[in-house]
Amino acid sequence: MKIELSIITVNYNGLDDTCELIDSITFSDRMEVIVVDNGSISDEASAIESRYPHVKVVRSAENLGFAGGNNLGVKASHGDYLFFINNDTILPPDFDAETLVGRLRSAPSVGAVCPKIRFAWNDKPVQFAGYTPLSPVTLRNSSIGFGQADHGQFDTAHTTPYAHGAAMMVKREAVEKAGLMPECYFLYYEELDWSLMIRRTGYEIWYDPVTTVYHKESQTTGADSPLRTYYITRNRLLFARRNIARPLRWLSYFYIILIACLKDAVLNLLRRRTDLSKAVVAGVCDFLRNRQGKKQ
């Protein structure tokens, strides 16, 4: 039987989270689930294979980053529709991937779709109900509904400028036309850049609240870690280099480096988080040197 849907998730030292995600998936004959073990310290790939023989496990000897890990999953997949989902998410019992497939089938112009995403903790507030556009100078935008209680006020489907990396379904043909996720970021901003790549080929990206995913958020990197701070800083500048035309790009550099990053470094010093201040400085310096930085 032909595989219609490929569910792809990347595991990095997150065996418990990954197993919880797999346990929440309702399997079918027209579906494959692919776990990319992205250079975990211990042999978590073998543990997943042993526990879930019906899951395809791809092992990378090194951590290839978010994009690199997902790209390995794409290369191992066979479905016409690719559902990229973070390993720190949970699918509710009523989750129906076919509803997202239906949105992708609704028009040739629809290339990607994201479900409603809610946080998995407390009263499960909304994390994502679509995005607003990024400012071409500050590169700031908003996640619609972020932090709000879900009373159905975000239950209308609409286009969105960017997909959310925690849960996004993409047509294979859109991937073939736009290319794989850009691996130059390693962590953070790659799905925003990829969204622009997909849109430049003529596709739309949709938010469709017909189904919901619950997200634990930052289980891999930590919500306030030097690793996260470093890549957010570096990649914000890299995104500007790749996607903002001159002269706005120079204004963006000026704002990010001399206003936003300087402010972040000083505030972190005042909080006695010198590790975060150093991460901000390292992110700026590595961007200016055109360096990837140390992968962790």
Side-chain angles (χ1 to χ4, degrees):
M1 183 175 292
K2 187 180 186 302
I3 298 297
E4 178 183 75
L5 174 65
S6 299
I7 298 179
I8 300 170
T9 192
V10 176
N11 174 77
Y12 175 68
N13 299 327
L15 181 61
D16 290 342
D17 283 324
T18 300
C19 289
E20 189 173 5
L21 168 62
I22 295 172
D23 288 338
S24 72
I25 296 174
T26 301
F27 286 76
S28 72
D29 293 338
R30 297 176 66 89
M31 169 200 299
E32 64 179 355
V33 175
I34 300 171
V35 176
V36 178
D37 187 57
N38 209 13
S40 294
I41 295 173
S42 61
D43 187 8
E44 296 189 349
S46 295
I48 296 168
E49 284 180 317
S50 176
R51 182 167 175 177
Y52 305 101
H54 52 303
V55 169
K56 182 185 297 185
V57 181
V58 179
R59 167 72 175 170
S60 172
E62 64 174 313
N63 185 351
L64 301 176
F66 180 79
N70 276 301
N71 288 343
L72 271 186
V74 173
K75 294 171 185 176
S77 68
H78 299 90
D80 295 326
Y81 306 97
L82 309 175
F83 187 35
F84 303 91
I85 185 164
N86 278 16
N87 74 316
D88 62 345
T89 57
I90 304 170
L91 304 183
D94 62 351
F95 180 86
D96 186 2
E98 281 299 317
T99 57
L100 296 177
V101 171
R103 172 59 65 181
L104 293 178
R105 286 175 171 165
S106 66
S109 60
V110 182
V113 62
C114 294
K116 181 189 293 181
I117 303 174
R118 294 170 61 181
F119 290 110
W121 32 262
N122 296 338
D123 57 349
K124 297 180 173 58
V126 173
Q127 181 181 15
F128 170 83
Y131 277 126
T132 62
L134 282 163
S135 162
V137 174
T138 67
L139 293 188
R140 295 190 182 278
N141 71 329
S142 298
S143 177
I144 298 170
F146 186 90
Q148 298 185 34
D150 185 10
H151 300 299
Q153 70 272 42
F154 304 110
D155 283 355
T156 301
H158 58 82
T159 57
T160 177
Y162 319 102
H164 196 294
M168 53 184 176
M169 187 179 292
V170 186
K171 285 179 179 173
R172 180 177 292 276
E173 66 180 57
V175 177
E176 292 171 347
K177 290 180 181 179
L180 295 170
M181 288 189 198
E183 297 184 15
C184 55
Y185 290 95
F186 189 73
L187 192 65
Y188 300 114
Y189 275 91
E190 53 275 282
E191 76 271 23
L192 300 180
D193 197 310
W194 201 38
S195 294
L196 292 181
M197 292 167 61
I198 291 171
R199 286 171 51 204
R200 288 185 189 118
T201 62
Y203 289 103
E204 296 173 340
I205 300 171
W206 278 72
Y207 158 75
D208 196 329
V210 69
T211 194
T212 300
V213 166
Y214 295 99
H215 190 198
K216 301 172 192 174
E217 179 71 279
S218 295
Q219 295 293 300
T220 301
T221 62
D224 197 16
S225 69
L227 179 68
R228 182 180 186 276
T229 300
Y230 168 82
Y231 278 109
I232 288 289
T233 302
R234 172 190 174 272
N235 291 350
R236 190 176 176 190
L237 290 161
L238 181 57
F239 183 91
R241 175 189 290 169
R242 285 172 54 89
N243 295 287
I244 306 300
R246 300 185 184 96
L248 285 180
R249 185 193 308 167
W250 299 108
L251 288 176
S252 183
Y253 288 166
F254 177 88
Y255 172 82
I256 294 171
I257 296 173
L258 297 181
I259 298 178
C261 290
L262 182 60
K263 176 183 175 183
D264 288 344
V266 170
L267 289 178
N268 283 319
L269 284 176
L270 294 175
R271 294 169 55 207
R272 299 183 178 179
R273 290 298 306 269
T274 56
D275 57 337
L276 298 184
S277 293
K278 290 178 180 178
V280 171
V281 173
V284 172
C285 290
D286 280 356
F287 167 76
L288 294 175
R289 296 169 183 163
N290 201 28
R291 292 180 62 236
Q292 170 72 43
K294 183 179 179 181
K295 300 178 182 179
Q296 304 181 39

